[in-house]
Amino acid sequence: LGEMSVGVAGVSVVYLSAAVAETMLSHALVTEKEEVMGLCLGDYDHKSIPNSTPHCVIISQIYLLRRRQKAADRVEVSDKDLAEASHYAESIHLRVVGWYHSHPHITIHPSHVDLGTQQLYQHLDSRFVGLIVSAFDKSRGKIGLIAFQSGPQSQEVVIPVQFLPNTLDPTIPLLNMVKLVQIQASEEREAYCAAVGAPESPTVDSTSTSSSSGQAVGGAAPHPLVATFAAATYQRSLVRLLEIQVAPVITALDEQLSQSNARLAQLQAEVATLH
């Protein structure tokens, strides 16, 4: 975790629950080839946490984002998704208090691009924080997480992170995992459609290379080899998605169902003894 310091706006510590950290880490572990990104939802009211430090940032939920551009050293999302995240936060009486992204293989510390992005956010809210998850850096030998702000000279200001007991509805992390699968599937579909020049693709095979009008974007269908390669790549990505993400989510949901059924049976037995 980060070294003890105070952010440029007097932010002394970032609090987040173990469930939030787990979901954030799960998101970072989705791919080691590209960065991922999400937003942190919460508040600044330290009085809601006993014995907490003033001037803190409390992260109680995260909002997963679909990537508009994805690469090994950068990630971009759409303004529309950012606006939807802000609207969602307001609907549950929270606010967007930070952002997070992954550094698959590079240093855990923010790049100059990260610091520039963070500075833009701080112009809107001086208490806004950034978090970085490092999940595949073999030189560290462990998973890393830091919180930071951008200083007056665009330098890194590391802020300590403290974990809180889980207070969330236990279904929220599972719902986030389901949403993550949906986002990944959407990104893969978008990449496939872009490869074959179609805005949408109802079916996925080596011949599904046209839009609803029967023509690829631009009026010319892609070369059959391009279409075949794109379809094979898409299908391979979906198989990997099923194996690595969907199967664990189904297992977790089955376990949650079993626990809920056991708890229901216990409560029913207690009710029966009262009659």
Side-chain angles (χ1 to χ4, degrees), residues 6-263:
V6 178
V8 295
V11 177
S12 56
V13 64
V14 173
Y15 292 107
L16 70 160
S17 72
V20 168
E22 180 182 353
T23 305
M24 201 179 298
L25 176 59
S26 298
H27 194 189
L29 288 170
V30 163
T31 174
E32 62 175 309
K33 295 182 179 180
E34 303 137 1
E35 293 187 358
V36 300
M37 178 180 168
L39 295 178
C40 304
L41 311 183
D43 208 341
Y44 303 118
D45 182 14
H46 74 282
K47 296 180 181 179
S48 62
I49 301 177
N51 302 319
S52 63
T53 304
H55 310 295
C56 64
V57 175
I58 305 168
I59 301 174
S60 52
Q61 289 194 39
I62 63 172
Y63 190 91
L64 303 169
L65 293 172
R66 190 167 68 93
R67 297 170 293 178
R68 186 180 65 180
Q69 178 183 352
K70 48 187 180 179
D73 59 350
R74 67 181 59 234
V75 59
E76 293 182 6
V77 298
S78 70
D79 294 337
K80 177 183 177 182
D81 288 341
L82 293 175
E84 289 178 352
S86 180
H87 178 73
Y88 171 75
E90 291 178 0
S91 70
I92 57 175
H93 307 292
L94 296 175
R95 66 179 74 187
V96 179
V97 296
W99 67 299
Y100 74 90
H101 70 289
S102 65
H103 280 185
H105 289 285
I106 60 177
T107 176
I108 192 173
H109 296 283
S111 65
H112 69 282
V113 175
D114 297 334
L115 291 170
T117 301
Q118 175 63 26
Q119 201 164 55
L120 290 175
Y121 285 132
Q122 287 175 207
H123 286 319
L124 301 175
D125 185 346
S126 61
R127 297 168 294 182
F128 205 87
V129 297
L131 290 92
I132 298 177
V133 182
S134 174
F136 298 99
D137 186 0
K138 295 181 180 179
S139 64
R140 289 178 53 86
K142 59 182 179 180
I143 294 172
L145 170 68
I146 67 167
F148 71 97
Q149 285 192 310
S150 180
Q153 284 75 46
S154 297
Q155 79 275 20
E156 173 189 3
V157 179
V158 181
I159 304 172
V161 176
Q162 292 188 20
F163 295 99
L164 299 173
N166 287 332
T167 56
L168 290 177
D169 181 336
T171 61
I172 291 180
L174 290 177
L175 292 175
N176 278 335
M177 295 306 299
V178 172
K179 181 180 178 181
L180 181 55
V181 171
Q182 294 172 334
I183 289 174
Q184 288 292 111
S186 175
E187 289 179 351
E188 296 297 342
R189 180 183 179 86
E190 181 179 346
Y192 168 76
C193 292
V196 298
E200 293 184 1
S201 182
T203 59
V204 180
D205 54 45
S206 60
T207 61
S208 59
T209 60
S210 61
S211 65
S212 57
S213 63
Q215 291 263 323
V217 175
H223 191 282
L225 290 179
V226 173
T228 300
F229 178 79
T233 301
Y234 182 37
Q235 291 168 356
R236 182 186 64 180
S237 298
L238 292 183
V239 169
R240 184 176 181 276
L241 183 64
L242 288 170
E243 179 182 3
I244 296 179
Q245 290 183 251
V246 176
V249 168
I250 292 176
T251 300
L253 290 173
D254 284 340
E255 292 177 354
Q256 183 67 41
L257 178 61
S258 297
Q259 293 175 8
S260 298
N261 287 336
R263 179 59 177 162

